[in-house]
Amino acid sequence: MGLAIVGAAAPAHAAKFSERLGRAVVPTFQSIELKLDPAQAEYSGSTRIELEVREPTDAIRFHSEGQRLHPVRLVHEGVELEVSQGAIADDVVEVTVPEPLSPGRYVLTVGFDHEFGTQPKGLYRAEHAGDAYAFTQFEADDAREAFPAWDEPGFKIPFQLTLTVPDGTIAISNTEVEAESAGDGWRTTTFRTTRPLPTYLLAIAVGPFDTVPIPGLSVPGRIVAPRGQSHLAGAAQEVTGPILAAMEEYFDRSHPYEKLDLIAVPEFWPGAMENPGAITFRDAVLLLDPDATTAEQRRRLVLITAHELAHQWFGNLVTMEWWDDLWLNEAFADWLGDKITHRVHPEFETPVRELRRTQGLLARDALPSTQPIRRVVEPGSLLMEGLGVTYQKGKLVLSMFEEWAGEEAFRRGVIDYLSAHADDNATADDLWNALDAATGRDVSGAMAAFLEQPGHPLVELEVEGRRVRVTQSRFHHAGADVEELSWKVPMVLRYSDGETLRTRRLLLDRESAVVELEADRDVEWVYPNAGAGGCYRWSLASDRMGILAARADRELTPIERVEFLGNLSGLLDAGAWRAVDYAKVVNRFAADEDLAVVPSAVAGLGNVRSAFVTEDLADDFAIFVRRTLWPALNRIGLERRSGESEIVASLRTQLVNWLGDYGSDPDVRAYARERTAAYLKDPTSVDPSIAGISLSLAALDGDRELFDTFRARFESAEVPTERSRFLSALGSFRDPVIVERALAYSLEGPLRSHEVLAIPWALRDTEPGRDRAFDWMVDHYGELAERLSPRRLAGLPSFGSGCSVERLDRMIEFFEDSARRVPGTERRIERVEDEVADCRRLREAEGPAVAAYLRSFAAGAGSTSLTRRSSLRRP
């Protein structure tokens, strides 16, 4: 089939300047005055920037994108100089003088006016419940869209903001209020001067907000919510204080900024943004219904809050010099956020949950198109590309080397680094030097390969009596062509000789080594990643893998069993493990006594489904799913029990989803319809952890009337999480006529920019759905380009992912048009090409055996009416 629309092209997005500004002229202080009425389309402002000219120059360059600039004034020692100004790129203005400027102090002033943005970046306006608001989102290089500035992280200076806003609205920025005045229907607020900050951390919020104080902080703090939503702030009020206290204890210093506002933003593409003193959150993360908060929503709130609070020291107090060290900001905040979450809320079992996410990342990191954690970032490129590697792999590497160097010594190195570079910029090398000094070990040398090389190692172990030969190579999927690399790999082996359990630590710093194991007799089994903290895949001879799988529930901890299953998935991708054997292990792990392990078995079912289950195998696979997962659901029941753990509630949601959708279980679908009917009458009558998935399962067989009901409830939802539930359900209908209505609604309905792709993306759950979603993306690319930021446009090639070579070819052809290749597009296309090639290779090699196994399993299962329903707690 040919391309549906050949001429659908993107509107022109501003081309970022491909050079850095240089250090001949640097700002030392900037004041910004803005007159903002979010109910209007435009705003105006002026800025005064104190400069240091460090070497003779006849030109001053600064960032400004889209603003209409009034004549620029340049003053030196009280004398205004003759200047000319002009744009040298879409986002850079150059001011020239007839004679070179001599080194010294200068003052640049610029007046300007501009339109508010309509996408959630730069300075933009949004509406909520009939009220108009203005917000900012400047990371990575979008402050230049709001006002003239030196918009690079290496220019870290004090700022002072003055905002004039309509009476009846509140103005918020990074610091406390210094002075206020009012008149003629306007209120002018001047904020205190900030500590040195880069532009990407400045924040502005204007609107008729409600505010709620946060108790128990070392600084003044508030939850800031759109008008009428303060009653949803209770959970955030409760969790923030203990998280901040734990952060202050880890860093051995108080929160570095004078206040802490947590601001709920209704139109926002990230989960949150760490602006000092004014952290912004997507509203559905921060504002939770006190009568309908799920364990998963609360866990997400804690994790994201911990991540953003970690940034106050790591990223804000000490800031990267350039975007090639973005990984350090994000990986460190995620790593420490996990640690603090586990300390403050151990009931979330964060290490196990996050390891499951990391295992998924390692699958992507094995692709030829993967990138190093630390990579060269060019000006004008997609500066925040590759965040999955940045967050997940980066924090796994940090965990691995913290364990190797010692937790307390590692912490001392971090504290020394912060003390040495507070209110300044630094590079990763500065941190490594501090860690080397604090730990007395070559942390920098050992970490270098993990940070600066793509991929990760495969460690193969050959056990011979009381010795083990350990050999490393680069891990890759079957058939992939990758460069061979080597690492210094910290490892912890756990092993048994049948009598005694022991561990052995080593640093594998060569291709192969023979390790003598302390043992009284020949080693019976060895587990190569004790503690599950290693950033590597590993393999043993198949008989020893079988022994370890059989003994996993007795010899491995829950987190190690999660790692074992994730590692086995990697070996399947590498062609080193048979798919049928993998499916059998998944089936066994689904019955694990520790419920924290069961979600990994569910993820394993997902791997089997995505790689092998074609439309003709759906019914057989459904029987396999029911046989595999019903025992776990029997154990916990369909209804919440008093005092049950958070992880049980989260697991129930997964099990009901899988059994109802991919298991096509009639009882579960009937239960979902019952719960949906009850929820539509009274949302408080349904366990919130099961409400969302019940709506989505009911939609699978839903009719037009149900779609219209869900659409109306989506549009009238006053609670962000309820809005999210109904949006997810709108993407779950499978009736072809309703699917077309849902797709049309994605662009015609009152969806926010970050919601536009929710429905088409949900359709990709089946192969026909992938084809339809791809066609929709092609047909409507022009409209999407108007609604989405360049960063989100760069992700659209993912609509070509899956196992279809034909769809891949169509995707590549579609994006050959240079007008559609925003920065980051080529890298995403490469990744999709790798993913499709992987899927095809795996399906061709293992698909026939899996199909035979599933058909045999289904035939042997007999009746699918298993004797399990009597033990379920039904409504």
Side-chain angles (χ1 to χ4, degrees), residues 103-122:
R105 302 284 180 175
Y106 294 76
V107 175
L108 181 75
T109 58
V110 188
F112 57 91
D113 54 84
H114 194 22
E115 294 83 23
F116 283 104
T118 57
Q119 299 173 355
K121 65 187 186 77

Side-chain angles (χ1 to χ4, degrees), residues 762-807:
L763 288 178
R764 299 176 67 261
D765 200 36
T766 65
E767 200 60 29
R770 287 178 183 270
D771 285 335
R772 182 64 194 99
F774 176 80
D775 290 341
W776 176 88
M777 183 275 293
V778 169
D779 292 345
H780 297 280
Y781 185 85
E783 295 164 87
L784 293 173
E786 294 284 353
R787 301 273 303 265
L788 304 179
S789 67
R791 183 175 184 272
R792 298 202 73 194
L793 285 177
L796 292 185
S798 290
F799 277 93
S801 63
C803 248
S804 169
V805 174
E806 179 188 2
R807 187 171 55 244

Side-chain angles (χ1 to χ4, degrees), residues 12 71 106 111 137 165 387 395-396 401 566 668 758 809 838 863 870:
Y106 294 76
Q137 171 56 30
V165 302
L387 289 184
K395 73 179 179 183
L396 182 58
F401 281 97
V668 171
D809 290 341
D838 259 8
S863 170
S870 61

Side-chain angles (χ1 to χ4, degrees), residues 463-468 515-523:
V463 181
E464 303 170 354
R466 304 179 196 182
R467 287 202 249 171
V468 59
V515 180
E516 299 286 343
L517 299 178
E518 180 186 354
D520 299 323
R521 55 183 59 81
D522 288 353
V523 170

Side-chain angles (χ1 to χ4, degrees), residues 7-18:
H13 288 281
K16 303 289 187 181
F17 194 47
S18 60

